[in-house]
Amino acid sequence: VLREKLGQYHELDPSQFILGNGSNEIIELLGHVFLDPDDEVLVGEHAFVVYKLVALLMGARVVETAMPNLTHDLNTMREEVSERTKLIFLPSPNNPTGTANTAREIDTFVHSLPEHVIFCLDEAYAEYQEVPFDPRPHIREGRKVLAMRTFSKIHGLAGLRIGYGYGSPEMIGLLQQARQPFNANSVAQATAIAALE
């Protein structure tokens, strides 16, 4: 039922959502499904540490880029993209610095990425922005974009551990195959539905 509610909320099909034990689990699922030891994961040097931990857990190489003024420099990140780059994580606003890239900057960045790269937008704090970037047009275009959200921040449900990812049905289908069958408990899902309503 929660996936149906999320579909209504985001105006996407329920098949485009995966639930997680917090959005943290979605990050880990991305590593399990898409990373091999030959791959690179591109992150900002002051970004959420779990991106780096998951990459290292999977044996992938972490490429950290400088963050002038504690903000992701998307031009520098783009220069670091190589044939081995598999995942790029961008939290906007960033945890822990609180800085954010503009919607236009992110849009330009996503359009510049080569086909083999999966762009992971962490929207844990998106509700705190006046004009957040909207990844749905890129998802509808068929780009390799996956966005993640959590009920821990704006809804204050951190202790219930409920988050979700959304993207193309194909990408979500791959993540669904890797998740544990009972990863999102019914109490957390019922509370998340109430929060959305």
Side-chain angles (χ1 to χ4, degrees):
V1 177
L2 178 53
R3 291 173 72 201
E4 293 173 4
K5 290 287 186 184
L6 289 168
Q8 294 168 11
Y9 182 77
H10 288 282
E11 299 178 349
L12 294 169
D13 192 85
S15 68
Q16 294 182 259
F17 294 87
I18 183 168
L19 304 180
N21 182 11
S23 56
N24 235 52
E25 185 183 20
I26 309 302
I27 298 166
E28 188 172 342
L29 287 174
L30 285 162
H32 281 292
V33 172
F34 295 111
L35 290 180
D36 291 317
D38 291 336
D39 294 327
E40 294 179 349
V41 176
L42 192 54
V43 299
E45 65 178 336
H46 303 299
F48 188 41
V49 71
V50 174
Y51 313 140
K52 181 178 180 178
L53 295 177
V54 166
L56 294 173
L57 179 67
M58 301 304 152
R61 179 172 178 261
V62 177
V63 178
E64 291 184 285
T65 61
M67 292 177 60
N69 301 314
L70 302 178
T71 304
H72 285 84
D73 183 335
L74 298 185
N75 290 327
T76 298
M77 289 189 89
R78 181 61 186 89
E79 290 170 5
E80 291 293 335
V81 172
S82 74
E83 291 181 0
R84 294 177 58 191
T85 305
K86 181 64 70 68
L87 298 176
I88 297 176
F89 286 99
L90 178 68
S92 190
N94 182 49
N95 173 10
T97 66
T99 56
N101 295 93
T102 67
R104 178 175 288 182
E105 287 173 340
I106 300 172
D107 184 72
T108 300
F109 181 69
V110 173
H111 272 108
S112 77
L113 295 175
E115 179 69 21
H116 68 277
V117 174
I118 300 169
F119 175 69
C120 307
L121 178 69
D122 191 337
E123 298 183 293
Y125 296 90
E127 291 92 348
Y128 296 97
Q129 284 185 284
E130 289 184 14
V131 185
F133 172 72
D134 184 357
R136 293 172 302 173
H138 295 282
I139 292 169
R140 291 184 182 115
E141 286 174 9
R143 294 184 182 276
K144 293 180 180 173
V145 173
L146 184 111
M148 299 172 287
R149 289 207 179 188
T150 178
F151 286 89
S152 295
K153 313 305 185 219
I154 195 74
H155 298 290
L157 303 178
L160 287 176
R161 307 305 307 143
I162 185 76
Y164 62 96
Y166 61 102
S168 69
E170 294 78 15
M171 187 179 296
I172 296 299
L174 291 171
L175 295 173
Q176 292 282 20
Q177 292 177 41
R179 72 169 175 82
Q180 293 293 316
F182 308 112
N183 66 327
N185 71 76
S186 59
V187 173
Q189 291 185 55
T191 309
I193 290 168
L196 285 173
E197 291 175 347

